[in-house]
């Protein structure tokens, strides 16, 4: 994998609630300079970042972040608002109790309300759904697989584009190779975004090998440097 190929899979991320504008501005500039697929930032910064990043770098933000406990109507309103501000992509935190209970009908209904509002605002907006896969897998191997399969079904049947492993803020943990493999197994056409705890090249490569299409990372520059050094053998 070349640096250019890796860059095209990275969503350069800053979601710390205390991050000030200069830090967000730097992340946006780094995404543009390195040709990353997207920059992922908090909703409050969307309008400023959308005007800043160069063509080809998507502006991504989060909805219902980080707990997913807002009412679907409020998530739909938030989605509409950030899309009007210039978001090309939204990462929606699903209501976790629906996923823990494998309640596909309830999960699908929530996501459909959000998707309808989002696509009515902008037809081509990309919708990703965060399912906190580490929490689902903490139920044990067999039950965890069932929960990932149910989550994939709800995300797919609601018309979303991606399933995403994690917010990176849940105490259960972030992305894992096992979660990505299960999402690949049950996704049936869904794209996969691995995020949460990807801090070195080996982990990033393992996620891609397992089937991830995108990597949400704050350690993007360090990992890119690691890849360049590995290519030169230094």
């Amino acid at each position: 994998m070349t640096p250019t190929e890796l860059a095209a899979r990275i969503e350069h991320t800053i979601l710390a609630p205390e991050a000030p504008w200069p830090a967000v501005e730097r992340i946006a500039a780094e995404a543009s300079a390195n040709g990353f697929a997207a920059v992922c930032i908090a909703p409050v910064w969307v309008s400023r970042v959308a005007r800043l990043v160069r063509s080809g770098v998507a502006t991504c933000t989060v909805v219902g972040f980080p707990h997913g406990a807002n009412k679907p109507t409020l998530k739909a309103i938030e989605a509409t608002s950030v899309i009007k501000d210039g978001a090309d992509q939204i990462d929606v935190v699903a209501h976790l109790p629906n996923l823990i209970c494998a309640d596909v009908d309830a999960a699908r209904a929530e996501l459909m309300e959000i998707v309808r509002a989002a696509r009515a605002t902008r037809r081509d907006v990309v919708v990703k759904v965060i399912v906190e896969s580490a929490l689902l897998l903490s139920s044990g191997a067999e039950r965890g697989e069932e929960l990932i399969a149910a989550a994939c079904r709800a995300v797919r049947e609601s018309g979303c584009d991606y399933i995403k492993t994690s917010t990176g803020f849940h105490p259960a943990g972030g992305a894992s190779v096992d979660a990505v493999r299960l999402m690949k197994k049950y996704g049936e056409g869904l794209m996969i975004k691995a995020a949460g705890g990807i801090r070195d090249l080996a982990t990033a490569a393992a996620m891609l090998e397992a089937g991830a299409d995108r990597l949400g990372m704050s350690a993007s520059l360090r990992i890119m440097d690691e890849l360049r050094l590995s290519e030169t053998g230094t």
Side-chain angles (χ1 to χ4, degrees):
M1 178 170 46
T2 67
T4 300
E5 290 169 337
L6 177 59
R9 312 288 281 276
I10 291 174
E11 296 188 14
H12 199 30
T13 302
I14 183 166
L15 290 170
E18 70 277 11
W21 169 245
V24 176
E25 184 178 32
R26 185 187 71 249
I27 292 293
E30 290 169 353
S32 292
N34 286 274
F36 293 147
V39 57
C40 187
I41 39 83
V44 70
W45 304 121
V46 169
S47 60
R48 296 172 76 174
V49 167
R51 293 193 298 266
L52 181 64
V53 294
R54 70 169 175 79
S55 176
V57 178
T59 298
C60 175
T61 193
V62 288
V63 170
F65 194 86
H67 302 302
N70 297 340
K71 293 170 62 176
T73 302
L74 293 179
K75 292 180 184 177
I77 292 169
E78 185 177 23
T80 298
S81 176
V82 295
I83 294 166
K84 288 180 178 178
D85 281 346
D88 304 297
Q89 304 179 5
I90 56 171
D91 290 12
V92 180
V93 185
H95 185 51
L96 298 179
N98 292 339
L99 304 181
I100 293 168
C101 297
D103 190 339
V104 173
D105 290 341
R108 181 177 55 237
E110 178 199 35
L111 295 173
M112 285 180 67
E113 182 171 348
I114 300 163
V115 168
R116 279 197 297 266
R119 298 256 163 81
T121 308
R122 177 175 169 178
R123 186 178 299 275
D124 64 346
V125 69
V126 174
V127 182
K128 312 187 198 98
V129 182
I130 305 171
V131 301
E132 296 294 16
S133 56
L135 176 65
L136 302 184
L137 292 175
S138 69
S139 303
E142 183 175 347
R143 178 60 175 166
E145 182 165 351
E146 292 174 359
L147 296 180
I148 294 289
C152 285
R153 180 183 165 194
V155 173
R156 183 177 62 253
E157 292 181 357
S158 62
C160 298
D161 303 290
Y162 279 76
I163 187 165
K164 178 179 171 182
T165 59
S166 327
T167 60
F169 286 78
H170 198 283
S176 69
V177 168
D178 286 343
V180 173
R181 284 176 178 157
L182 289 172
M183 289 173 175
K184 188 69 174 178
K185 178 178 179 180
Y186 293 105
E188 298 181 28
L190 289 174
M191 304 286 275
I192 300 166
K193 179 178 174 180
I198 305 173
R199 300 187 180 94
D200 55 49
L201 180 60
T203 304
M207 296 296 173
L208 294 173
E209 178 65 25
D213 300 284
R214 290 283 181 86
L215 302 174
M217 307 188 296
S218 58
S220 312
L221 297 188
R222 184 165 68 246
I223 291 172
M224 290 290 292
D225 287 342
E226 192 178 348
L227 177 58
R228 293 186 185 102
L229 287 172
S230 70
E231 284 192 321
T232 61
T234 58

